[in-house]
Amino acid sequence: MSSAAVNIELPQLQNPLMQYLRQDRIPHIWCPGCGIGTSLNAFIRALDEMQFDLNKLAVISGIGCTGRVAGYLNVDSFHTTHGRAIPFATGLKLGNPDLKVVVYSGDGDLFAIGGNHFIHAARRNMDLMVVCVNNFTYGMTGGQVAPTTPLGATQTTMPYGNFEPPFNLPYLADSCGAVYVARWTVYHVRQLTRAFKEGLSKKGFVFIEVLSPCPTLYSRRNRLGDGVEQLKYYKERSVVKNGADTREVGLTFQGDIVVGTFVNRERPTWLDAMNEHFSQRFGDRYQRYGVRHED
Amino acid sequence: MHADPKGVLTGLHFIDGDHAACEGAIAAGCRFAAGYPITPSTEVVERFAARIPLVGGVFIQMEDEIASSIAILGAAWAGHKVMTVTSGPGLSLMMEHIGYAAMTETPCVFVDVQRGGPSTGLPTLPAQADMMQVRWGSHGDYNIIALSPNSPQECFDLMIKAFNLAELYRTPVFFMMDEVVGHMTERVAIPRPEDIEVVPRRWTSRKPGEYKAYEPGEDLVPEMVKAGDGYRVHVTGLTHDERGYPAMNPQAQDKLVRRLVDKIRKNAHKLVDVRGENLEDADVVVISYGITSRIAAAAVEEARAAGLKVGHLRLVIVWPFPEQLVAELASRVKAFVVPELNLGQMVREVERVVAGRAQVVSVPHAGGTVHQVEDILAKILEVAK
């Protein structure tokens, strides 16, 4: 029996946020339950809500699971070397001050191998927004101890539990001179989106820590359940304290998590300081640096 | 195109090699440099820091050489011509980013004012012992270009060439000075800007959407864009396809890595830059580069005065090594004498190319001073017998 062919024009429905991703790079490499994708979702929502000019945004990543963020975003994006996203971003920003330059990387990348660059970029107040997805571990290499691993947590290279004190990242950023410091978890998607919007609007060294589950390596090895279990933990144990003294926001193994916007202040950026200084020194002979280079 | 007059100090100067190298870089269009202090190279960036505010550009002293060597790559992707300046220990730290620059085809110049090593070695004294490190130092297969000046004048002239080659081939270019060349003061003539030829970046003429970041042209070099121009380029140190996207398979690896090597190897004949003297009738040829070439020239002169048929081949571009030329000489000369301020680096390359067709003799020197003319002359006399 024959049936009349029916052509139904289906509406081309697409998530409006897909334009922010390199769709030919999807699916991504992240594990089920990982929070990096959630953080990225909050980031592109922030871009969308701000109607950010994507041609004026560059995202730089180092190496690791979060290091892959740059590759999925449909902007000028640079996947650099391990730990060196910040100095690359420094060169890019100083090379073209018109760009908003975001460093998006993991805790091991930014604070172990890259720790020196972080403290100096914060000290200089380099105009960069640094997003650290902190999952307390080295995910890409299989779950080794990180400079953020809480005391007592088990990792492959701390098989009997971690005995090294971790960094308190907001305190580190604050003490080095960051002008904006916030911490949220991937449970706090609205607050995180707002923090990204504030960070993208802020001039100077911005630091946003995003706590994220690593179900495959951190949670499993510490018998903390799956990604959902970790989100429940974030929900139940997070305490919002905007303006908290960053000395008091250190993290412990499955303890309370202080979240919020801890620092929001003004300080001249490196480039503003340079321009101001040379203008005073050389007067009219000095042309302020920062126009685009077309040569 | 010609040099931007703003950066060119036309006239006669009495300056050292480090200062001349800086002037060459500025004349070549370099407007971004990052560096970390290290003897005997620091004067290059000190001069850059002093000069650049009124030329229009940026110098930043980074927290270490690792940061310096990747800050310049960021600035290159913002559209700048860039350099960093260092010496042995710093160069060792920069190695990962030399590989990253090679892999991402980022035009950049690394100035290495060589000192004695290994490790901290002789900070204030000369050597030519980084010659193999610049060729092979970063992991993986890639290729680079290296130049070796022997005077402050050449520090100026060849620096412009170094920047031009970085743009033409989109590869790291090494400027292999040494402590003596860096610190010797001589007359340097800086030409008028209209007499200085500079190679602009090879910007694509394609529109976003039609452009692939790593699609090579006929000479195996892809066209470039910069961040902020709407191309939404992705750059990674991972093995990548022509779009610049990670491609983790042996086919992509083979294609990419072969091209990175071949874009220099297959253009090597265009890159030959040597100074030959008395090669026509030579039985013995001295092969030298950098500061050693000035002592070698004196030895060759004395040998010829003594009636020996000795020629001198000075390598100005050291990498790629002028294989064809040396092979051709090997078929008609008796011996090569290779003096260098190391215990035998470039001599291995001479041996490889000569392949037993002539005798190859090293005149090693561990560094700290230059050779005595007699050291080289003695070897010439020995092989000329």
Side-chain angles (χ1 to χ4, degrees):
Chain A
M1 108 185 214
S2 67
S3 61
V6 180
N7 282 322
I8 301 171
E9 286 274 323
L10 290 170
Q12 294 291 307
L13 289 177
Q14 197 187 42
N15 186 321
L17 298 183
M18 281 304 276
Q19 58 168 313
Y20 293 89
L21 299 175
R22 295 181 191 274
Q23 294 170 44
D24 48 0
R25 292 272 291 127
I26 306 296
H28 57 68
I29 61 156
W30 298 312
C31 301
C34 170
I36 299 170
T38 312
S39 81
L40 188 57
N41 192 338
F43 180 69
I44 61 182
R45 273 176 201 281
L47 294 174
D48 195 58
E49 288 175 20
M50 294 172 82
Q51 291 294 297
F52 206 96
D53 180 357
L54 295 190
N55 291 337
K56 293 291 165 249
L57 175 68
V59 175
I60 324 298
S61 289
I63 297 295
C65 293
T66 313
R68 294 302 184 93
V69 162
Y72 298 126
L73 279 167
N74 189 20
V75 298
D76 287 317
S77 56
F78 298 88
H79 182 222
T80 63
T81 54
H82 194 23
R84 320 301 174 193
I86 287 176
F88 183 97
T90 297
L92 190 74
K93 176 69 191 179
L94 296 180
N96 182 356
D98 283 352
L99 293 171
K100 185 75 202 176
V101 179
V102 174
V103 171
Y104 212 121
S105 214
D107 48 307
D109 184 75
L110 284 166
F111 292 100
I113 187 167
N116 195 31
H117 310 308
F118 182 90
I119 63 176
H120 287 282
R123 169 179 69 80
R124 295 180 177 118
N125 198 22
M126 200 52 70
D127 188 9
L128 303 172
M129 173 167 131
V130 177
V131 178
C132 173
V133 177
N134 180 3
N135 58 11
F136 309 114
T137 192
Y138 285 85
M140 188 71 90
T141 48
Q144 294 76 32
V145 70
T148 46
T149 305
L151 279 170
T154 297
Q155 295 287 265
T156 59
T157 47
M158 279 287 185
Y160 311 108
N162 177 31
F163 53 82
E164 272 188 25
F167 270 136
N168 170 353
L169 298 181
Y171 179 38
L172 180 67
D174 181 9
S175 59
C176 293
V179 293
Y180 181 96
V181 180
R183 173 199 281 152
W184 298 99
T185 78
V186 293
Y187 170 74
H188 301 90
V189 284
R190 288 179 188 282
Q191 295 91 329
L192 188 55
T193 302
R194 196 186 64 225
F196 283 143
K197 282 160 68 178
E198 287 174 358
L200 286 163
S201 314
K202 184 93 185 169
K203 213 173 168 194
F205 192 85
V206 167
F207 177 61
I208 299 172
E209 180 183 21
V210 187
L211 302 187
S212 160
C214 174
T216 308
L217 295 159
Y218 182 79
S219 305
R220 185 169 59 86
R221 200 151 272 128
N222 287 291
R223 302 180 188 282
L224 300 174
D226 58 12
V228 176
E229 286 299 313
Q230 279 293 284
L231 287 183
K232 280 184 190 160
Y233 157 59
Y234 294 160
K235 180 185 175 196
E236 285 159 13
R237 300 298 295 272
S238 291
V239 186
V240 179
K241 280 189 193 166
N242 291 315
D245 183 337
T246 55
R247 285 174 296 185
E248 288 164 13
V249 304
L251 298 169
T252 56
F253 184 65
Q254 295 299 98
D256 282 352
I257 301 166
V258 180
V259 293
T261 307
F262 305 135
V263 175
N264 195 349
R265 62 188 164 206
E266 304 298 325
R267 204 157 73 83
T269 65
W270 190 90
L271 203 55
D272 287 345
M274 181 189 90
N275 274 326
E276 191 53 38
H277 187 73
F278 288 159
S279 293
Q280 284 183 17
R281 174 69 177 75
F282 296 113
D284 291 345
R285 286 193 298 153
Y286 182 68
Q287 286 193 324
R288 291 178 91 84
Y289 175 85
V291 291
R292 295 205 43 213
H293 291 261
E294 300 293 350
D295 48 340
Chain B
M1 65 188 261
H2 298 141
D4 174 1
K6 245 197 312 184
V8 183
L9 292 184
T10 303
L12 292 178
H13 302 262
F14 189 59
I15 52 178
D16 72 17
D18 281 353
H19 286 257
C22 174
E23 288 306 325
I26 295 173
C30 178
R31 296 292 179 269
F32 184 95
Y36 185 82
I38 185 166
T39 306
S41 74
T42 314
E43 293 90 331
V44 183
V45 290
E46 285 174 337
R47 188 175 179 107
F48 197 88
R51 286 265 286 123
I52 207 65
L54 296 183
V55 174
V58 171
F59 171 71
I60 182 165
Q61 182 175 314
M62 295 297 285
E63 51 273 18
D64 58 27
E65 286 92 345
I66 299 173
S68 303
S69 60
I70 197 161
I72 62 167
L73 306 182
W77 280 99
H80 277 281
K81 292 187 178 183
V82 299
M83 72 165 171
T84 187
V85 181
T86 194
S87 188
L91 189 73
S92 296
L93 287 173
M94 291 178 177
M95 278 300 152
E96 188 181 4
H97 294 141
I98 289 159
Y100 185 75
M103 190 61 148
T104 57
E105 301 181 68
T106 307
C108 52
V109 173
F110 287 77
V111 179
D112 178 17
V113 188
Q114 297 170 87
R115 66 193 226 185
S119 190
T120 311
L122 298 171
T124 61
L125 298 170
Q128 295 177 310
D130 305 346
M131 303 307 294
M132 284 292 166
Q133 192 189 16
V134 294
R135 174 63 188 87
W136 302 104
S138 197
H139 59 279
D141 285 306
Y142 63 102
N143 217 323
I144 53 91
I145 297 169
L147 297 89
S148 181
N150 78 353
S151 67
Q153 180 68 55
E154 278 197 353
C155 287
F156 178 85
D157 297 339
L158 292 177
M159 187 63 106
I160 292 162
K161 181 164 186 165
F163 273 90
N164 287 348
L165 292 174
E167 296 300 332
L168 274 174
Y169 292 96
R170 288 188 60 181
T171 188
V173 173
F174 293 88
F175 203 64
M176 305 302 290
M177 297 164 61
D178 63 77
E179 187 276 333
V180 178
V181 167
H183 285 162
M184 68 160 59
T185 297
E186 289 183 343
R187 192 181 97 129
V188 175
I190 297 183
R192 295 174 307 172
E194 57 269 34
D195 296 327
I196 298 173
E197 202 58 40
V198 301
V199 173
R201 186 141 301 168
R202 297 174 64 166
W203 301 120
T204 188
S205 53
R206 295 190 189 187
K207 296 188 185 78
E210 295 166 6
Y211 169 78
K212 284 189 200 161
Y214 290 96
E215 185 180 18
E218 263 177 40
D219 62 355
L220 304 179
V221 183
E223 295 176 327
M224 205 165 166
V225 297
K226 62 182 185 290
D229 281 357
Y231 286 87
R232 313 258 178 108
V233 69
H234 183 58
V235 174
T236 177
L238 286 166
T239 297
H240 44 269
D241 60 20
E242 291 189 344
R243 295 171 301 176
Y245 288 4
M248 301 296 100
N249 62 71
Q251 292 77 20
Q253 169 74 3
D254 190 81
K255 191 176 172 191
L256 175 59
V257 170
R258 268 185 209 286
R259 184 174 64 73
L260 294 180
V261 171
D262 282 349
K263 72 177 177 178
I264 307 296
R265 191 181 277 171
K266 291 194 171 162
N267 290 309
H269 60 285
K270 296 183 207 162
L271 284 161
V272 174
D273 190 350
V274 296
R275 305 284 184 272
E277 270 177 57
N278 302 309
L279 294 176
E280 302 73 22
D281 68 344
D283 291 329
V284 174
V285 170
V286 177
I287 298 184
S288 72
Y289 54 92
I291 188 59
T292 308
S293 66
R294 294 173 69 148
I295 296 99
V300 168
E301 206 174 306
E302 286 197 26
R304 286 197 81 89
L308 297 174
K309 288 181 176 173
V310 182
H312 187 194
L313 182 71
R314 172 157 87 90
L315 311 180
V316 171
I317 288 187
V318 179
W319 298 113
F321 186 77
E323 292 190 18
Q324 271 185 337
L325 179 65
V326 173
E328 192 189 297
L329 286 171
S331 64
R332 60 183 169 91
V333 307
K334 198 170 136 193
F336 293 91
V337 173
V338 188
E340 42 185 346
L341 288 185
N342 57 55
L343 298 187
Q345 296 194 11
M346 294 307 295
V347 69
R348 299 169 70 93
E349 198 66 3
V350 179
E351 283 167 350
R352 182 183 69 79
V353 171
V354 169
R357 284 171 292 183
Q359 194 185 355
V360 178
V361 181
S362 172
V363 192
H365 187 307
T369 62
V370 295
H371 291 78
Q372 297 291 315
V373 175
E374 296 73 43
D375 302 338
I376 301 170
L377 186 61
K379 286 285 183 196
I380 295 171
L381 296 174
E382 193 183 304
V383 298
K385 269 183 208 158

